[in-house]
Amino acid sequence: MRIPIIGGNWKMNKTVKEAVDMVEDLKQRVGNIQDVEIVIFPPFTALKSVGEVVKGTNIGLGAQNMYWEEEGAYTGEISPLMILDIGCRYVILGHSERRQYFKETNEEINKKLKVALSSGITPVVCVGEKIEERRRGKAKKVVEEQIKDCFKEITLEEARRIVIAYEPVWAIGTGETATPEQAEEMHLFIRNLLKDLFGEEISQSLRIQYGGSVKPANIEELMKEKDIDGALVGGASLKADSFAEIIKKTAEISKISSSLRSKNE
Ligand code: PEP
């Protein structure tokens, strides 16, 4: 059974105080949730302070990016060792905003992925097509290329620890969400690709999050789909009330589907 994972990507938002206030509030609201893995991705500047607030709780800490070298003359970059040292156990890699504005390539994401895995950090690897690619009928081809290139030379043991976020670029921050059917179709496509790459068992155990304008009003219908294992949430993760609601609704759906499964066994 795949435990759903809900991530909150805060992007370039919040001062340290705002971040700490938000997470104190979130902790009160979701501290008792057990059926969902919860991770927040604050900006680098707030990681230390937020890390102190979430220490020993059910809320994990992640970075929004990292470089692939451990140290050296790479002005402005942050290494895997540094994010581990500050308490991060997760990292987002290849977010579409990094691909779009900072020209990150699949090859670079692959380098980061290998280092994240060898450092013991859980990577959340983002893939997804642009609107013109979907309109031209190329969505699956683009996602296939991203998965194959980003996952080059990843061993079976390493693959087990990867989380994938399918985030259609046209749905990120736009208020436009993929329909549950559109999302499920791509998630199933990704799972089948994973089966070709890593075999049946790993493909069934890897979690694939959906991302793109997820909010309390649409999380349930998305989570009801068989191959959607949680969400990477941007805008709606910035406020404790909406993010907590998404987490609670995910926990409810997950409870219902596991009790249905045990009844059928
Ligand atoms: C994201 O940042 O990964 C994201 C999905 O953003 P939003 O929820 O705001 O669309």
Side-chain angles (χ1 to χ4, degrees):
M1 192 197 133
R2 299 186 294 264
I3 297 171
I5 172 164
I6 299 287
N9 173 17
W10 294 2
K11 312 192 186 192
M12 198 175 73
N13 292 293
K14 295 194 188 293
T15 61
V16 173
K17 182 176 182 317
E18 287 165 349
V20 166
D21 287 350
M22 144 62 178
V23 86
E24 291 278 14
D25 188 355
L26 183 68
K27 205 164 76 165
Q28 298 305 317
R29 294 171 188 263
V30 300
N32 59 348
I33 300 277
Q34 286 169 354
D35 310 280
V36 178
E37 193 170 321
I38 307 166
V39 192
I40 46 169
F41 298 90
F44 288 122
T45 46
L47 283 175
K48 188 169 181 354
S49 308
V50 168
E52 281 159 13
V53 181
V54 298
K55 203 170 179 183
T57 72
N58 59 340
I59 303 173
L61 188 69
Q64 296 173 19
N65 182 33
M66 60 167 215
Y67 196 53
W68 57 78
E69 296 288 349
E70 291 199 343
E71 59 182 8
Y74 303 102
T75 303
E77 293 294 333
I78 304 276
S79 82
L81 281 183
M82 291 168 179
I83 64 167
L84 270 175
D85 181 47
I86 216 163
C88 291
R89 293 294 170 265
Y90 301 81
V91 66
I92 297 176
L93 298 178
H95 191 279
S96 69
E97 286 150 17
R98 296 215 55 87
R99 292 175 186 263
Q100 185 181 348
Y101 303 129
F102 305 100
K103 307 292 170 230
E104 257 188 34
T105 63
N106 289 332
E107 197 186 357
E108 288 168 335
I109 297 160
N110 174 250
K111 285 191 197 176
K112 294 182 180 189
L113 177 60
K114 287 178 182 161
V115 177
L117 290 165
S118 65
S119 313
I121 303 168
T122 300
V124 177
V125 180
C126 302
V127 296
E129 79 286 357
K130 300 190 188 104
I131 190 64
E132 54 287 8
E133 292 164 339
R134 177 161 282 262
R135 286 197 185 122
R136 279 190 279 120
K138 299 266 187 273
K140 287 184 180 158
K141 190 171 178 289
V142 168
V143 169
E144 177 169 357
E145 199 173 293
Q146 290 172 334
I147 298 263
K148 287 191 170 156
D149 290 353
C150 291
F151 289 9
K152 243 181 213 155
E153 295 158 7
I154 299 297
T155 66
L156 295 186
E157 273 321 299
E158 289 173 330
R160 287 180 194 285
R161 299 175 7 236
I162 299 173
V163 176
I164 296 169
Y166 168 58
E167 303 204 299
V169 179
W170 46 273
I172 298 181
T174 57
E176 191 182 339
T177 325
T179 63
E181 295 74 24
Q182 281 173 322
E184 171 61 19
E185 188 184 347
M186 189 61 91
H187 281 230
L188 182 59
F189 175 73
I190 293 173
R191 208 172 293 289
N192 285 332
L193 269 178
L194 294 171
K195 186 172 157 190
D196 294 343
L197 292 175
F198 303 118
E200 171 74 14
E201 191 232 313
I202 292 181
S203 77
Q204 287 303 322
S205 68
L206 283 197
R207 282 147 336 147
I208 309 172
Q209 299 178 296
Y210 169 78
S213 300
V214 171
K215 38 190 180 283
N218 58 23
I219 185 67
E220 285 167 305
E221 55 178 20
L222 288 161
M223 279 306 299
K224 282 180 185 156
E225 296 294 335
K226 196 170 127 293
D227 290 286
I228 300 183
D229 308 312
L232 185 56
V233 187
S237 74
L238 290 171
K239 290 210 174 111
D241 56 355
S242 51
F243 193 47
E245 212 180 319
I246 290 171
I247 293 166
K248 286 179 187 166
K249 287 186 169 175
T250 302
E252 275 163 35
I253 300 274
S254 151
K255 254 186 237 155
I256 296 168
S257 43
S258 58
S259 76
L260 277 178
R261 246 193 316 272
S262 53
K263 266 189 209 147
N264 291 335
E265 274 165 12

